[in-house]
Amino acid sequence: MVQTIIDSHSHLWLKQDTAWNGMPVKTLKNGRSFFLTEEVQMLPPFMIDGRNTAEVFLSNMDYAQVGAAVVVQEFIDGLQNDYLEEVKCKYSDRFFVFGMCDYFTPGFLDDAKLLAARGFKGIAVPGHRLITDKKRVRLNSPEMMDMFHFMEDNGMILSVCIAENNIQTDEMKEVIQECPNLKIAIGHFGMVTTPGWEDQIKLALHNNVMIESGGITWLYNSEFYPFKGAVRSIRKAIDMVGADKLMWGSDYPRTITAITYKMSYDFVCKTDELTDVEKSLFLGENARKFYGFDHLPVLPYVKNMSE
């Protein structure tokens, strides 16, 4: 039985009011947002005010018996540093939060140093969003490399998602080689349903690199629960880099418009294609060690009214 469950990829925000690639992202009502070119169900419809708060997430976590969560950031949600600093201070035992900079604006290295001074232990770089119609910021650009060296020197963790089809894989390889002591978590399971995803997974053959599965149920949404294709890909990744290099992530809250929060991991618990040891490492133990979680709560199972 899995003893510790930790979510290695989630998001929190109070309001979406931003733009990416020249297109808007705006909170509407009933869990919906205007996303780039269309109205979408960004949150479950019962989150009517559009506020994706730590308290609502904690309620989901407690119900699903998830002890802790890692909160990353994304350009499509806007900078959430101020809110996540509050979350970090209020719920330090349950959340590891990442800061984020505006990497399209030169001088972000100074912003990264300020985030470190504010107590952020990690910085998120949504690398796939650094490629737009009008501009591309490379992961191995001089200021990016300066930021990564600063993070390495100060014991910070890098959360990074990189583009599909190996568009940024070589850039990421250079970062890993230049900063061998920088702890790196690569998200979205290498964009697992796209060509060349295995090359992203193989980056975890480096000692300082881990892979997390945030968004894997979104990537396998067409096959839906119990996500047998996702399980086969997890099995393949374990065979490539080892079970100690992979971490589960939900990509909460966007993924729970289609499934419940618990469903985003219990398909792993129920499969026969992974051993109990592999499940325990993937669902929590690896993340506990990587992020330094300690003194996690014991969350009892609460019977559903429908049972």
Side-chain angles (χ1 to χ4, degrees):
M1 179 180 177
V2 176
Q3 299 296 320
T4 301
I5 301 177
I6 296 174
D7 188 342
S8 294
H9 188 119
S10 65
H11 302 274
L12 294 174
W13 63 78
L14 293 182
K15 185 179 181 180
Q16 292 177 315
D17 185 10
T18 188
W20 177 77
N21 199 17
M23 294 175 285
V25 184
K26 303 283 186 181
T27 292
L28 300 176
K29 61 180 182 179
N30 298 334
R32 298 177 184 178
S33 293
F34 190 86
F35 177 63
L36 306 181
T37 61
E38 60 183 343
E39 184 174 315
V40 299
Q41 195 71 48
M42 185 70 66
L43 300 169
F46 52 79
M47 295 169 72
I48 59 175
D49 60 1
R51 289 166 56 90
N52 171 32
T53 65
E55 288 75 19
V56 172
F57 191 18
L58 282 168
S59 180
N60 273 284
M61 290 165 62
D62 289 351
Y63 169 73
Q65 297 175 281
V66 175
V70 177
V71 184
V72 302
Q73 293 200 54
E74 241 274 31
F75 282 123
I76 62 172
D77 302 326
L79 291 174
Q80 300 292 329
N81 295 322
D82 291 343
Y83 179 54
L84 293 187
E85 185 175 15
E86 293 179 18
V87 172
K88 169 175 63 68
C89 293
K90 193 172 182 180
Y91 304 111
S92 60
D93 57 332
R94 301 294 298 276
F95 292 114
F96 183 105
V97 302
F98 280 91
M100 189 173 75
C101 307
D102 178 4
Y103 307 111
F104 291 103
T105 302
F108 59 81
L109 173 59
D110 290 336
D111 294 333
K113 292 179 179 179
L114 287 174
L115 289 173
R118 291 168 64 178
F120 284 90
K121 298 179 181 178
I123 292 178
V125 178
H128 59 310
R129 302 289 185 194
L130 298 179
I131 303 171
T132 69
D133 292 339
K134 295 183 178 180
K135 188 173 183 178
R136 175 172 178 174
V137 180
R138 296 186 179 273
L139 295 171
N140 57 353
S141 68
E143 189 168 16
M144 275 288 189
M145 295 303 296
D146 287 343
M147 184 180 77
F148 296 146
H149 281 296
F150 168 80
M151 293 172 64
E152 180 183 34
D153 293 342
N154 287 273
M156 302 179 78
I157 299 177
L158 170 63
S159 168
V160 61
C161 294
I162 58 179
E164 60 193 64
N165 298 322
N166 286 323
I167 295 173
Q168 295 171 308
T169 304
D170 285 342
E171 295 175 21
M172 198 67 237
K173 288 179 180 178
E174 184 174 337
V175 173
I176 294 167
Q177 292 166 357
E178 284 286 317
C179 302
N181 295 312
L182 173 62
K183 294 174 70 174
I184 301 171
I186 296 175
H188 293 167
F189 218 67
M191 293 300 292
V192 62
T193 54
T194 63
W197 70 275
E198 296 94 340
D199 291 325
Q200 285 198 39
I201 300 297
K202 289 176 183 177
L203 294 173
L205 292 171
H206 295 271
N207 292 333
N208 58 322
V209 180
M210 300 286 285
I211 303 292
E212 46 95 337
S213 73
I216 197 168
T217 60
W218 150 60
L219 290 162
Y220 280 96
N221 182 65
S222 61
E223 71 172 29
F224 204 63
Y225 189 88
F227 304 109
K228 293 183 179 180
V231 171
R232 288 192 293 270
S233 294
I234 294 168
R235 172 76 268 159
K236 185 174 182 179
I238 289 174
D239 293 341
M240 284 192 289
V241 300
D244 60 334
K245 302 294 287 184
L246 309 175
M247 303 182 292
W248 167 70
S250 70
D251 211 1
Y252 174 99
R254 282 179 269 269
T255 48
I256 65 165
T257 58
I259 58 175
T260 68
Y261 183 51
K262 187 173 182 179
M263 288 168 70
S264 65
Y265 77 80
D266 77 343
F267 73 95
V268 175
C269 296
K270 293 175 179 177
T271 184
D272 294 328
E273 295 194 40
L274 306 177
T275 68
D276 288 345
V277 171
E278 289 167 343
K279 293 175 184 178
S280 292
L281 291 171
F282 179 64
L283 290 174
E285 186 59 21
N286 291 337
R288 185 188 66 78
K289 293 178 180 178
F290 188 74
Y291 290 103
F293 283 109
D294 200 6
H295 306 298
L296 296 178
V298 176
L299 300 170
Y301 175 74
V302 178
K303 181 181 178 181
N304 287 327
M305 187 67 183
S306 57
E307 290 183 61

